[in-house]
Amino acid sequence: MPQTVLLTGASGYIAKHIAVQLLEAGHLVRGTVRNLSRGAEVADAVRPHLSDTTDLDSRLTFVALDLNEDDGWDDAMADIDVLMHTASPFPLAQPKDEDDLIRPAVDGALRALRAAKTAGVKRVVLTSSTVAISGSQLPSGDTSFDETNWTDPTDREVNAYGRSKTLAEQAAWAFVRDEAPDMALTTINPAFVLGAPLDQNFGTSIRVIERLLKGKDPMLPDVGFGTVDVQDVAALHVRVIEKPETSGQRIMAVDGFYAFADIAHAIKSAYPNRKIPTRIAPNFLIRVLGLFDPDIKAIIPNLGRVDKYDNARAIATLGHGMRQAPKAAVSSAAYLIDNKLV
């Protein structure tokens, strides 16, 4: 059954992919943007990827909304069936004051949920992150991370971004438990998201691929991360509103764990003439550099760490296996190269 979905942060990299898949599934999308001029940007990005663009101006509409302000939410929520809250900051560098990340993430999620409750919206999908699941070490005796795991926001090795996503998701679950028990909440917890963006206004994860292609770093740190294709992330957002049984669930969107070098080798294989670094830097060198660079210091706790993820819930929700993350990395690189951005 077609639904009218309020998609917050509609100009985001992931959100644009979600908009495409929502529209392809027959849903109506009302996107929030800080300035209505960004609406045209989103529509232009989405349009080439739709099988039918008939009446797009009525199927994809926009409202101006600042997630840090209370004004405008009543109008945004009018006649909405589903709130899909994707908006949250994802920085390439950690801020000097972690509250610059944490407060907007937590307050924005709660502001959206309160507005949904006031408007009588019962179905909510929140974009969280695997950093809210696997930011801390795996508990003793466990062999892989799954949706029962939570990052400890008091863990000193968890960075500001990890804290922001963990605290925002915890606040959302607490709100539903304590203030809106009839609200059906599902969280999608993506890993590091790759895949060709829909336009040149892309996010931080694609900047990482851009940096690789530019060969700015002679060697790579011995770190890795859970990785996922953006199309699977978008598909999960759409599938859960069609599956009532996913209410109350966290769903971890991840293909698997890949070393940074794995991603680099996949791109190097596709573009052998590019000066893409694939050598691993000695850990002692990274630790020394971390004394002078806070962004490098932030990755030191993850040197040599290898995580395993149980993505059975995501596969069951999608009804098929996950797309291979190295291929998503190559498609990210192809977009940047084809559009002469590197």
Side-chain angles (χ1 to χ4, degrees):
M1 178 180 175
Q3 306 279 301
T4 301
V5 179
L6 181 68
L7 180 64
T8 69
S11 61
Y13 162 55
I14 296 173
K16 285 170 182 166
H17 278 273
I18 293 173
V20 167
Q21 296 202 29
L22 284 170
L23 292 165
E24 286 291 271
H27 302 295
L28 304 179
V29 178
R30 183 182 301 163
T32 77
V33 287
R34 285 198 173 189
N35 188 304
L36 284 177
S37 64
R38 298 294 301 273
E41 168 201 315
V42 177
D44 289 345
V46 165
R47 187 177 290 106
H49 302 276
L50 297 174
S51 57
D52 181 6
T53 58
T54 305
D55 299 324
L56 183 60
D57 289 344
S58 60
R59 294 160 52 209
L60 175 63
T61 58
F62 299 94
V63 291
L65 196 66
D66 187 334
L67 296 176
N68 297 314
E69 303 292 338
D70 292 327
D71 295 340
W73 283 99
D74 290 343
D75 291 340
M77 287 286 180
D79 302 317
I80 289 296
D81 300 306
V82 179
L83 165 64
M84 200 165 281
H85 182 57
T86 74
S88 187
F90 177 23
L92 189 59
Q94 296 299 310
K96 291 182 179 179
D97 184 350
E98 64 179 21
D99 278 345
D100 290 344
L101 266 182
I102 293 171
R103 290 271 46 97
V106 174
D107 294 347
L110 289 176
R111 185 171 285 108
L113 287 167
R114 290 190 185 106
K117 179 187 176 184
T118 299
V121 175
K122 305 294 187 188
R123 190 67 172 106
V124 177
V125 183
L126 174 74
T127 310
S128 184
S129 171
T130 54
V131 299
I133 291 174
S134 60
S136 301
Q137 293 291 333
L138 190 66
S140 177
D142 289 355
T143 58
S144 61
F145 286 101
D146 63 25
E147 289 84 358
T148 64
N149 296 117
W150 278 95
T151 294
D152 178 2
T154 67
D155 185 340
R156 295 181 62 182
E157 292 188 349
V158 176
N159 63 25
Y161 177 68
R163 286 193 181 92
S164 75
K165 298 303 288 188
T166 303
L167 292 170
E169 187 186 345
Q170 289 178 339
W173 286 113
F175 176 86
V176 171
R177 182 191 66 229
D178 299 336
E179 300 185 43
D182 58 343
M183 184 176 281
L185 172 65
T186 302
T187 65
I188 307 298
N189 297 66
F192 185 64
V193 184
L194 293 175
L198 300 189
D199 64 7
Q200 295 183 20
N201 297 298
F202 43 75
T204 302
S205 60
I206 305 302
R207 296 289 179 196
V208 173
I209 303 302
E210 182 181 50
R211 187 178 181 95
L212 273 177
L213 289 169
K214 289 181 176 179
K216 288 189 173 182
D217 306 298
M219 292 186 286
L220 305 174
D222 182 19
V223 296
F225 24 77
T227 312
V228 65
D229 190 304
V230 66
Q231 293 185 69
D232 281 337
V233 177
L236 282 167
H237 282 76
V238 178
R239 292 301 296 273
V240 298
I241 66 174
E242 300 166 350
K243 291 191 168 189
E245 64 271 21
T246 61
S247 173
Q249 290 186 351
R250 308 170 81 202
I251 301 177
M252 186 167 54
V254 59
D255 169 41
F257 180 92
Y258 294 89
F260 201 6
D262 295 332
I263 300 298
H265 278 291
I267 298 173
K268 182 71 172 178
S269 295
Y271 297 98
N273 294 326
R274 287 267 170 176
K275 293 182 179 179
I276 298 168
T278 56
R279 290 191 302 157
I280 306 298
N283 287 347
F284 79 85
L285 177 59
I286 299 299
R287 291 190 175 94
V288 171
L289 293 174
L291 297 173
F292 308 97
D293 188 328
D295 294 328
I296 293 177
K297 182 180 179 180
I299 69 170
I300 289 175
N302 295 318
L303 289 173
R305 175 174 166 175
V306 177
D307 292 328
K308 292 184 178 180
Y309 299 91
D310 182 350
N311 61 3
R313 184 174 290 178
I315 290 172
T317 303
L318 288 172
H320 58 71
M322 309 294 286
R323 292 174 172 85
Q324 295 179 352
K327 291 183 178 180
V330 172
S331 69
S332 303
Y335 178 88
L336 294 171
I337 292 170
D338 292 347
N339 286 278
K340 297 180 171 56
L341 299 175
V342 288

